């Protein structure tokens, strides 16, 4: 059995659900650590890829509401991939995500990422139309609808990214 470690960053506007997605995914695991000095929370979770291979995901979640403005370089350094999180009930967070993705790619190059349209349980308040999403998918983006509240597609999203970064 071999284990590799991969650093994954949570990217997205304040309050889109980055922290909630990580805690939904790692719940029932034991590691949980706060690097308050650098404003980053780090969780880890072991994922079995197959009978011979594990991947230990080191999940970096930025604290506070500065998005990527101040800590970009140190936060992203060494990342194998990232989850780009949008709050589906707030259209501006979609535009932010597109900008953030460009900023991240400029910083660390083209790494695997998945866009998560979070808060899928709040479908009555949804502000993203299908055409918008499909146009982005047509550019080759993987986009999943998640709910940290119900757990919908959360595990699947992290596993998908784990496969992509291997
Ligand atoms: P972060 O700033 O991106 O880390 O966002 P948080 O994880 O702190 O979540 C911001 C707010 O959105 C909190 O009140 C969460 O309870 C709520 N939230 C996060 N994910 C979901 C979700 O999938 N559905 C609903 N209804 N609320 C969510």
């Amino acid at each position: 059995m071999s284990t590799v470690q991969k650093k994954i960053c949570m990217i997205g506007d304040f309050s889109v659900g980055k922290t909630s997605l990580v805690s939904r995914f790692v719940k029932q695991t034991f590691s949980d650590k706060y690097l308050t000095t650098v404003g980053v929370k780090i969780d880890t979770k072991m994922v079995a890829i197959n009978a011979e291979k594990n991947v230990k995901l080191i999940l970096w979640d930025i604290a506070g509401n500065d998005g990527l403005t101040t800590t970009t370089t140190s936060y992203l350094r060494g990342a194998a991939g990232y989850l780009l999180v949008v709050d589906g009930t707030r259209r501006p967070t979609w535009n932010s995500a597109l900008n953030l993705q460009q900023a991240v790619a400029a910083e660390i190059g083209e790494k695997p990422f998945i866009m998560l349209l979070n808060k899928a349980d709040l479908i009555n308040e949804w502000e993203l139309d299908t055409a918008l999403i499909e146009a982005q998918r047509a550019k080759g983006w993987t986009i999943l609808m998640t709910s940290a509240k119900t757990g919908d597609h959360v595990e699947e999203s992290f596993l998908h990214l784990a496969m992509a970064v291997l």
Side-chain angles (χ1 to χ4, degrees), residues 13-21 61 64 118-122 146-150:
D13 263 0
F14 178 62
S15 207
V16 293
K18 300 181 295 297
T19 303
S20 302
L21 287 162
D61 179 19
N118 192 42
K119 310 197 184 181
D121 56 289
L122 299 177
T146 56
S147 171
K149 186 171 181 178
T150 66

Side-chain angles (χ1 to χ4, degrees), residues 59-150:
L59 302 166
W60 286 51
D61 179 19
I62 208 155
N65 64 358
D66 67 345
L68 274 186
T69 51
T70 56
T71 46
T72 312
T73 306
S74 56
Y75 179 63
L76 294 171
R77 187 179 294 127
Y82 53 99
L83 289 174
L84 187 62
V85 186
V86 173
D87 177 346
T89 71
R90 287 185 293 138
R91 171 67 187 258
T93 68
W94 166 277
N95 300 78
S96 287
L98 298 186
N99 292 330
L100 285 167
Q101 194 279 326
Q102 293 204 321
V104 172
E107 195 71 37
I108 60 171
E110 299 294 335
K111 302 283 182 184
F113 68 93
I114 298 176
M115 183 186 241
L116 302 184
L117 310 180
N118 192 42
K119 310 197 184 181
D121 56 289
L122 299 177
I123 203 70
N124 293 336
E125 300 167 39
W126 207 248
E127 291 187 354
L128 305 175
D129 54 88
T130 311
L132 182 77
I133 298 165
E134 287 311 318
Q136 205 62 34
R137 284 198 174 118
K139 294 176 184 169
W141 287 34
T142 302
I143 304 178
L144 296 172
M145 278 177 72
T146 56
S147 171
K149 186 171 181 178
T150 66

